[in-house]
Amino acid sequence: MIGRLLLALAAAFALAFLLSPTSFAVLFQPLTRNGAPAIYTQASLLRLTLFHLGIVALAVLISTAVALALALFVTRPVGREFLPLARTITTIGQTFPPVAVLALAVPVMGFGTGPTLVALILYGLLPVFENALAALTGQPAKVAEAARGMGLTPAQRLWQVDLPLALPLLLAGMRLTAVISLGTATIGSTVAAKTLGEVIIAGLLSSNTAYVVQGGMIVGIIAVLIHAGFQHLERRAARATGQTD
């Protein structure tokens, strides 16, 4: 109960700040020096937040689609021998620094959202892939026996049994990817992508701590809310499939 109340308060504060940031100037004024402005006004904080969330949402959806497709492929008889290759691909995406991806993508794609999206997609593959793989390969043997006993075809078993049972773990992987992507997306502003990193970078360049705190605060609150939201969905999915009380 207390946790939900704190989440609601954090969400209300973030929304109020984004709708009217200048109303909170007094809170950030102590973090400025030499009469610098307390609130970032070079661009709309609400607009930057929406752009930021849009990039992250698109990256998570694409990462999930690609990673789930890979997991499904390598857990079918025809694709089992490609499991090491799939693991290598998703691991490289996680270990290759996003900054390096941006540096390689900019000459090809130009400045803007494109390079950032590529970096986030690559970075988000591993959590979804490993969770989907664990969910699809870790189901009890009696489930497969029951599906065969009901006369389900492989496709019917996939859609009616395997994927519903895998959903809680799949959502957990999406949660990790979403939270990681939310923070990582801030570096997209170094290549002219519209993200909250613009506020943080402006603060660093002007030695204005208030800007840095504002950008970090919004990202942090949204990350906590996304984390809690996905956890709620995971619990509901687990209850719906009888995996928990």
Side-chain angles (χ1 to χ4, degrees):
M1 183 65 182
I2 295 178
R4 291 182 181 178
L5 178 60
L6 291 175
L7 285 174
L9 290 174
F13 175 79
L15 181 60
F17 177 73
L18 290 174
L19 291 175
S20 182
T22 54
S23 301
F24 295 83
V26 66
L27 295 178
F28 295 96
Q29 196 63 56
L31 300 176
T32 64
R33 295 186 300 177
N34 303 321
I39 301 295
Y40 184 79
T41 57
Q42 297 176 34
S44 167
L45 289 174
L46 178 59
R47 181 180 290 272
L48 287 176
T49 301
L50 293 176
F51 274 120
H52 191 113
L53 289 175
I55 293 172
V56 170
L58 183 57
V60 171
L61 288 175
I62 296 175
S63 292
T64 299
V66 173
L68 180 58
L70 281 175
L72 288 172
F73 177 66
V74 299
T75 53
R76 306 302 102 179
V78 68
R80 284 174 184 161
E81 63 182 276
F82 294 97
L83 175 57
L85 176 61
R87 271 214 164 101
T88 299
I89 292 172
T90 56
T91 301
I92 289 175
Q94 181 72 227
T95 57
F96 205 67
V99 174
V101 176
L102 292 178
L104 293 173
V106 165
V108 177
M109 306 179 70
F111 288 91
T113 302
T116 304
L117 193 58
V118 170
L120 295 182
I121 291 169
L122 292 175
Y123 211 56
L125 288 174
L126 185 62
V128 179
F129 175 76
E130 289 296 340
N131 276 37
L133 189 64
L136 292 169
T137 58
Q139 294 177 5
K142 61 182 180 181
V143 172
E145 293 174 4
R148 284 194 295 267
M150 294 171 62
L152 296 181
T153 65
Q156 289 174 325
R157 176 187 165 186
L158 174 64
W159 288 104
Q160 298 178 29
V161 179
D162 293 344
L163 288 178
L165 289 176
L167 186 57
L169 268 178
L170 181 60
L171 287 170
M174 292 178 67
R175 168 168 52 86
L176 294 174
T177 291
V179 172
I180 291 172
S181 297
L182 192 71
T184 307
T186 56
I187 67 171
S189 291
T190 61
V191 293
K194 289 292 183 181
T195 73
L196 288 165
E198 178 179 323
V199 184
I200 298 172
I201 292 172
L204 293 173
L205 293 176
S206 62
S207 299
N208 191 334
T209 306
Y211 289 176
V212 178
V213 171
Q214 286 161 41
M217 176 191 71
I218 298 170
V219 171
I221 291 176
I222 294 175
V224 171
L225 294 174
I226 288 176
H227 186 276
F230 268 105
Q231 282 190 323
H232 176 69
L233 293 176
E234 291 164 36
R235 288 191 292 267
R236 290 193 61 178
R239 285 196 297 268
T241 54
Q243 299 179 59
T244 186
D245 296 330

